[in-house]
Amino acid sequence: MQYHLNGFHPGDPDVFPPAARVHDRSTGLPAKVDVLIAGCGPAGLCLAAQLAMEPGIHTMIVEPKMGPMEKGQADGISVRSMEMFQAFGFADKIKRESVWINETTFWTPGEGGITRAARVDDVPEGISEMPHVLINQARIHDMYLDIMKRSPTRLEPDYGLRVRDLSIDTTTDDHPVTVTLEHTAPGREGQTETVRANYVVGCDGARSNVRRAIGGTLHGDAAHHAWGVIDLLAVTDFPDWRMKSFVRSAEAGTLMVLPREGGHLVRLYVELDRLGEDERASDRGMDDADIIAKAQAILKPYSLDTKEVVWWSIYEIGHRLTDKFDDVPEDQIATRNPRVMLAGDACHTHSPKAGQGMNVSMGDTFNMGWKLRSVLTGRADPSLLHTYTAERRAAAKGLVDFDHEWSRVVGAKTHADVDGELPVVAQTFVRNLPFTCGLTIEYEPSALTGDTAHQALAPGFELGKRFHSAPVIRVADAKPMELGHAIETGTAWHLFAFAPDGDHGQPGGAVADLCDWLQNDPTSPLRVHTRPDDDPDAVLDVRAVFQPGFRDLDYGAMPALLRPHKGTYGLCDYEKVFSVDYKSANIFDVRGIDKAQGCLVVVRPDQYVAQVLPLSARDALAAFFAGFLKPAA
C-alpha cells in the first residue's frame, strides 16, 4: 500500500482523514442521500465499503437488526472472493484467522458403517494464488464495517430500520426514489420516516421489500427436503474432523463436515426429512437435538460427543431467481436508467451446501460498486448501470442451475459407485471445482468487454473473466509480488502493458510509444477522460511488465508515464514497472503472452479482463473508453 503521498501522517495508514460530510445522526435521519442500501448482509456491506471511500457520495445503509451479526449463516470463502478481498486490503487477515481447505474427502457406506472412498485436492493447482477458506460470515462483515468506519465518510449502519416500501418518480432526476423506512427498535416498532435517494439497492434477503416494491418475484422450485446446519464443539473419533468431508451412510442419510476457524469449531450440514408438498420445515418442530442425533447415526461406527452448540438452523432447499434485477421494464431500457437494483438473496436463492451464496452476493455488489461510484462522480453516463443486470443475471442463473444439480447429487439416497473410481459425488465435485472456486463467471461482449479478436496475444487472460494473476518483480524495489495485487478497489481502470522481446522501456520501443501517446496526444483516453485536478492514474492506471530480469532494467530510464508524480508534493510513484520473476514463474509463459509482440491487457475496476489489444491499437483503445466514460470537464 502507498501512503504519506500528501504529507507525513503518523498512525494507522488505513484510517483516512475525515471528509467534509461524515456519517452523523445527531440531528436525525437525512432528508436526502445519494445511495440507500437495504440490508447489512455481505452484499450490502460490500457495496457500502466501496461507496464509503468516496467523499462526495452520501450513502446510507439500514438494517432491521439492532447490531452487527455475531455468529451463524455462511462460512465458505471462494478463491475468487479472496482475490476480491486482496483488492479491499484484508485478504491477509482472513488468511490468518480462517481455516484453509486443502483437501476434500468422501465417505460411502462400508462394512460396519462408513468408509473413506476418495480424497481430492480442493483447489486445483495453479488456479489462483489464493486459498479456499472457511470463516464465520460475521468476521467478513467486521472487515467491511472496519473499512467503513475508517473511510473518509465514517459510514456506519443505521440499525433498527428496514425498508417498508418505495416509489419512483420517473419525471425527475433530483432524488427520485422516495423510501419509507420502518423502525424496528424496541419502543419505536412500526414508526416510519421517509428518505429520498438517487439510488436504492435492495440487499434485504429472500423476502425483500425492495424487490416487492419494484414488482419483482422469485421463480423456481423447492426440493421439499429439510436440512440442518449446526456449528458445534465436539469430541469425536471420526478421522477427517478437520477435513472438508462428504459422508453418505447406507440408511441414515448424508452429511457434510466443514472445519471452521480456530482449530476446534466444526460445522455440519445434516440431511433430515423429506417434506410434504405444502409442508415447511418449521412444521416438524425439529431442533438442534434432532440434527445431532441424525449426525450421530450417519457417522457410525464413529462417535460424536457434542460439548457446545454455538449456532444451528433448519432450512429447506430452494432454487429461485428473480425476474427483475432493477426497476426498468424491458421495453423502456433505451429510455430509462436504473434507480433501484437488487443484489444477493433478494434476487437469487439456493441451498448453502456449495458455499456459493455469500460469494456470489458479494460478487454482485463488487460489480455494482465501481459503476455507482463512476456515475455519481460524473465520470460515466448513468446508462452504465444497465450493465449490472446484464452481467449479474447470467451469474445468478449459473449459480441457481449449478446448485439445483449439486443439491440433488449430494442428497441422493444411492450412487452407482464403481470400485476403483471416484464416487459420483466426488466426480461431480471435481468436475465443478472451477465453478465452486468462483472462476467460471464470464461477462459477454458489451460496452465493458471487448471481443476476442486479439485473444491469441494472451490466451491466459480470458476476455470477460477475472484477471488471473501471476508472479512478477517490482523493479524499483525488487519486491516479488503478484501482479493482480496492484489492483485496489476504486474506479480506476488498469492498463497492463506487456513489453515485446527486446523492449527495455527505451525511447522508440513499443511501451514507450504507447506511454507517450497516452500522456501527450489529446485524443488518447487518458487525456480525454482525466480531469485537470486528478492524479495521472485516477482514471487509467498504466503499468508495464518487461521480459528482462529487474537487474537488467534501468528504472530511471522508463517512460515518464510509468514514473508519475502525484499528490500535493508531486512525489514519484515507484510501483508501475515490473519484470518477470524468473525464480518463481515467467508470467509471459504461464499466461501465454506473445513474447514477440507483447500486448495490452485492459482490466476493469472489479478485476475482470475487458480487452486484450496490440500495443499499437490506439484507435480501438480510445473508442473503447469513449463508449462509457464521459470526457473530462
Side-chain angles (χ1 to χ4, degrees), residues 395-413:
K397 186 178 186 305
L399 166 62
V400 171
D401 290 347
F402 165 77
D403 187 67
H404 194 281
E405 174 197 4
W406 179 239
S407 294
R408 295 186 185 281
V409 170
V410 171
K413 287 297 183 185

Side-chain angles (χ1 to χ4, degrees), residues 43 201-203 325-326 338 340-344 347-348 360-361 363-369 371 383-394 443 448:
V201 183
C203 305
F325 275 64
D326 62 46
V340 179
M341 293 170 284
L342 303 174
C347 46
H348 45 74
V360 175
S361 295
D364 287 345
T365 49
F366 196 50
N367 178 295
M368 185 192 300
K371 296 174 182 178
S383 61
L384 175 67
L385 298 177
H386 281 300
T387 66
Y388 169 72
T389 290
E391 293 180 337
R392 296 311 293 180
R393 194 203 314 259
Y443 297 141
L448 299 180

